[in-house]
Amino acid sequence: MMAPVFRFAPSPNGYLHLGHAYSALLNFDLAREAGGRLLLRIEDIDATRCRPEFEAAIYEDLAWLGIAWEMPVRRQSQHFADYRAATERLAAMGLLYPSFESRTEIARMIAAEEAKGSWPRDPDGAPLYPGIARSLSPQAVAELKRADAPMALRLDMARAIAASGSLAWTEQGAGPSGETGAVVAQPDAWGDVILARKETPTSYHLSVVIDDALQGVTHVVRGQDLFWSTSVHRLLQQLLGLPQPVYRHHPLVRDGTGAKLSKSTDSTSLRELRAGGTTPADIRRMVGLPDPSAAS
């Protein structure tokens, strides 16, 4: 029987905070308790926001917390060929189409529709793509490509669901409303998600699914904010014939106002806490995890 494989997969677009510490420590603890392996993956597909100093800080912070991981570390930016091969497979199945609207143009379309009434939104609260590009003729697509217009490859969700059938996943944690056990996937709630862009041949949804499969990840342990993203991940796994991990979504660490911690809102970083005299044992107490050294 193979040892279970866990992973912690941060993006180097800012310094780690308590929320990251909780997820990293939980994965580390679970892997150790199960006699399994812990992998570290750097999700750095966003060349604009990801920076070397943030990646270096990730290694420093995790080592300070006492977390050990297997080498080598997988960096997504070094594996674009893997993701491109997946999009080519999906395209060959007739499940992808190019869209050429800019974010501003899409926002303008949605605003016009919302002026008439409500418009559907995904689980994160973002409005669904109107699907206009699905009706473009091959000639129009070729012309837009020649004009070097912004381009994204979208999953035709209706066709993808028809090809996959109904899906579910095994949840060992809990969703935002307490969902656990066998959870029915609802990928249609996300609409025609983007799987790649002209400047970046992958997206979070696609790369995380490919990486988990290639790295043999058996247990995905992550925050509840990604709970419903699992619907899209299960769909892609089914379409690409990839193994299905067990999922465990954990509660988020929140600030005094109840908002989740975020790099974008400058939540207090681990390096700031360390500079202020906080110890790794303090971090464990702050996030509600036991200190293994105290039990020995």
Side-chain angles (χ1 to χ4, degrees):
M1 186 174 179
M2 294 183 62
V5 180
F6 296 76
R7 49 77 161 175
F8 177 59
S11 294
N13 55 11
Y15 294 115
L16 300 186
H17 51 61
L18 280 174
H20 299 111
Y22 177 59
S23 195
L25 286 166
L26 181 59
N27 273 281
F28 178 60
D29 290 353
L30 290 171
R32 183 173 49 189
E33 291 166 7
R37 301 160 53 204
L38 177 66
L39 309 180
L40 175 62
R41 183 164 73 225
I42 300 298
E43 300 195 339
D44 61 344
I45 62 174
D46 187 343
T48 303
R49 298 176 60 207
C50 294
R51 290 159 40 185
E53 60 266 35
F54 293 143
E55 182 175 340
I58 288 171
Y59 304 137
E60 181 182 327
D61 287 340
L62 295 180
W64 172 70
L65 287 171
I67 294 173
W69 58 90
E70 290 191 3
M71 297 294 288
V73 172
R74 181 177 173 92
R75 300 176 71 248
Q76 289 182 333
S77 60
Q78 297 174 340
H79 298 278
F80 283 159
D82 292 333
Y83 314 134
R84 191 174 288 110
T87 58
E88 289 172 355
R89 285 185 60 191
L90 293 169
M93 297 165 67
L95 300 179
L96 298 185
Y97 67 90
S99 65
F100 299 90
E101 305 89 352
S102 67
R103 290 181 176 89
T104 300
E105 290 170 331
I106 293 174
R108 191 180 302 123
M109 294 176 198
I110 299 298
E113 293 297 327
E114 289 187 319
K116 307 172 190 175
S118 62
W119 185 260
R121 292 178 176 266
D122 68 25
D124 285 342
L128 298 190
Y129 174 67
I132 296 168
R134 281 199 302 268
S135 60
L136 288 175
S137 67
Q139 294 80 7
V141 169
E143 185 175 334
L144 286 163
K145 286 182 177 179
R146 282 195 299 269
D148 201 30
M151 187 182 76
L153 287 178
R154 292 182 179 273
L155 182 67
D156 189 321
M157 188 58 75
R159 286 190 177 187
I161 291 173
S164 70
S166 60
L167 299 167
W169 77 86
T170 301
E171 177 62 47
Q172 293 186 337
S177 299
E179 300 92 343
T180 192
V183 178
V184 176
Q186 301 175 36
D188 55 313
W190 293 93
D192 292 355
V193 293
I194 291 175
L195 294 188
R197 295 184 184 276
K198 182 170 63 176
E199 66 277 13
T200 307
T202 188
S203 65
Y204 166 73
H205 291 308
L206 181 64
S207 55
V208 74
V209 164
I210 299 301
D211 289 344
D212 285 343
L214 290 177
Q215 293 189 286
V217 172
T218 60
H219 290 69
V220 173
V221 180
R222 59 191 182 188
Q224 283 180 343
D225 53 335
L226 293 170
F227 182 81
W228 287 115
S229 294
T230 312
S231 292
V232 177
H233 302 167
R234 282 292 299 117
L235 176 61
L236 292 174
Q237 288 160 357
Q238 185 73 13
L239 294 172
L240 294 168
L242 304 177
Q244 175 190 172
V246 171
Y247 290 89
R248 174 171 174 167
H249 293 87
H250 60 71
L252 303 177
V253 178
R254 300 185 179 275
D255 63 19
T257 68
K260 75 171 184 175
L261 301 184
S262 171
K263 297 170 185 171
S264 61
T265 56
D266 293 324
S267 296
T268 303
S269 67
L270 295 181
R271 62 194 292 112
E272 291 175 285
L273 292 169
R274 181 166 70 250
T278 303
T279 68
D282 293 331
I283 296 293
R284 280 186 169 273
R285 284 192 293 271
M286 292 166 75
V287 299
L289 289 174
D291 182 356
S293 64
S296 58

